[in-house]
Amino acid sequence: QVRLVESGGGSVQAGGSLRLSCAASGYTSSYNYMGWFRQAPGKEREGVATIYTPGDATWYADSVKGRFTISQDNAKNTFYLQMNSLKPEDTAMYYCAADLANSGYDPREAGSYVYWGQGTQVTVSS
């Protein structure tokens, strides 16, 4: 049974930093992509950052480029999202996702992923 567990969310003031973690357990050796997504109230879930796990290639949404960094620790089966210079508009529930359902799917799209964590809340106050 594959399981993803996020942690590290919280409340910070604008300009602050948080590091989200996603601990993966179960059959992880087949993962191709990992992604971080977020969903604010009344909005659709959107891609924030993705990483191609065999090779470390990354993608970032324009809104977080230069402020967020996705990374992986293969030894710990854990993925991270370092978030710096946080803004109130970054407030959302953040989710990690693993493994594209089909190699041809777009890793920037939430519907492409098989496995999801339960989410961790990030609140940024001005």
Side-chain angles (χ1 to χ4, degrees):
Q1 180 74 23
V2 174
R3 188 170 181 228
L4 303 177
V5 179
E6 300 100 332
S7 61
S11 297
V12 296
Q13 290 191 329
S17 298
L18 285 173
R19 188 177 81 155
L20 306 184
S21 299
C22 174
S25 61
Y27 186 53
T28 61
S29 62
S30 67
Y31 289 174
N32 41 32
Y33 278 89
M34 292 286 295
W36 285 98
F37 291 78
R38 66 186 181 187
Q39 188 166 19
K43 294 188 176 182
E44 292 187 354
R45 192 169 297 189
E46 64 174 356
V48 175
T50 67
I51 186 166
Y52 178 61
T53 57
D56 279 345
T58 57
W59 167 84
Y60 297 94
D62 287 343
S63 58
V64 306
K65 203 172 293 183
R67 300 188 297 122
F68 290 11
T69 303
I70 188 171
S71 62
Q72 59 181 332
D73 185 334
N74 291 327
K76 295 181 179 180
N77 279 337
T78 301
F79 297 81
Y80 304 96
L81 185 68
Q82 177 67 43
M83 305 186 296
N84 299 327
S85 302
L86 282 161
K87 304 176 181 180
E89 50 263 44
D90 294 319
T91 295
M93 185 73 79
Y94 282 71
Y95 300 89
C96 67
D99 209 17
L100 297 186
N102 183 293
S103 61
Y105 287 179
D106 188 340
R108 299 167 295 181
E109 297 292 331
S112 299
Y113 288 86
V114 177
Y115 305 109
W116 288 87
Q118 82 290 348
T120 185
Q121 178 67 39
V122 171
T123 303
V124 185
S125 58
S126 57

